[in-house]
Amino acid sequence: QVQLVQSGAEVKKPGASVKVSCKASGYTFTSYHMHWVRQAPGQGLEWMGMINPSGGGTNYAQKFQGRVTMTRDTSTSTVYMELSSLRSEDTAVYYCATESPAKCYFDYWGQGTLVTVSS
Amino acid sequence: EIVLTQSPGTLSLSPGERATLSCRASQSVSSSYLAWYQQKPGQAPRLLIYGASSRATGIPDRFSGSGSGTDFTLTISRLEPGDFAVYYCQQYDNSSPYTFGQGTKLEIK
């Protein structure tokens, strides 16, 4: 069965960077695009961007351009999301989620990683 | 950017009742690219409906989706205790990739 297992919670200071991992199993890693979606406390869902694990191509939401980097390691079936220049508004749960190419919806989700930005 | 507006913000119903949740888009959305998710406290969202009306794997037929253009609906025919959660609609468009509605909280009356 498809499983996405994310790294643990992080506490960061403003201005720092955070790198969250998402290890995939149960399917061919390069067959699904991987997206990142975040959710601030008590708020809704916000799409951040995606990576195609097959070729490494990325597409980031305009809001995060210049601050987010998504990479993958095909040898370990792991996707990474790095967010830099953190501010308090980046405090959120960050989810990875799969998308069958061109389907444009998210069928499997990781358990989420809480990132807290606080001085 | 395409904005999705969900209504009502909170819906209070009893088990066994029928729930109707609305998702309205600021401009026309392809039905192929409209999805619904359920999220329970402390959990990741779960895909319920894709392509506006197709149920995801394992989703009971009590859940149904409909609509086109700018108006979409999620209907839960007979509420069960496990259905009380927050529901989000989501769309994809070339010009405005992957936006979500603000959510509808379905609570027990």
Side-chain angles (χ1 to χ4, degrees), chain B residues 5-76:
Chain B
T5 302
Q6 294 186 239
S7 61
T10 302
L11 184 58
S12 300
L13 293 170
S14 301
E17 291 192 296
R18 179 187 188 92
T20 303
L21 287 67
S22 173
C23 175
R24 178 161 290 178
S26 59
Q27 55 188 279
S28 186
V29 170
S30 168
S31 295
S32 298
Y33 300 142
L34 193 289
W36 289 91
Y37 302 84
Q38 176 193 68
Q39 187 179 34
K40 297 180 180 180
Q43 296 185 16
R46 177 174 72 146
L47 176 68
L48 295 176
I49 301 287
Y50 62 91
S53 60
S54 297
R55 276 186 299 276
T57 303
I59 302 303
D61 59 9
R62 299 182 294 102
F63 292 86
S64 63
S66 63
S68 63
T70 59
D71 289 297
F72 297 88
T73 301
L74 174 70
T75 301
I76 311 171

Side-chain angles (χ1 to χ4, degrees), chain A residues 79-95:
Chain A
V79 169
Y80 300 91
M81 187 282 298
E82 184 169 22
L83 189 62
S84 63
S85 302
L86 290 169
R87 34 209 187 231
S88 58
E89 309 90 88
D90 294 317
T91 294
V93 175
Y94 290 77
Y95 294 102

Side-chain angles (χ1 to χ4, degrees), chain A residues 39 47 95 99 104 106 109-110, chain B residues 37 39 43-45 88 90 98:
Chain A
Q39 185 171 38
W47 179 75
Y95 294 102
E99 178 217 352
C104 303
F106 311 119
W109 295 67
Chain B
Y37 302 84
Q39 187 179 34
Q43 296 185 16
Y88 294 95
Q90 172 252 316
Y98 306 105

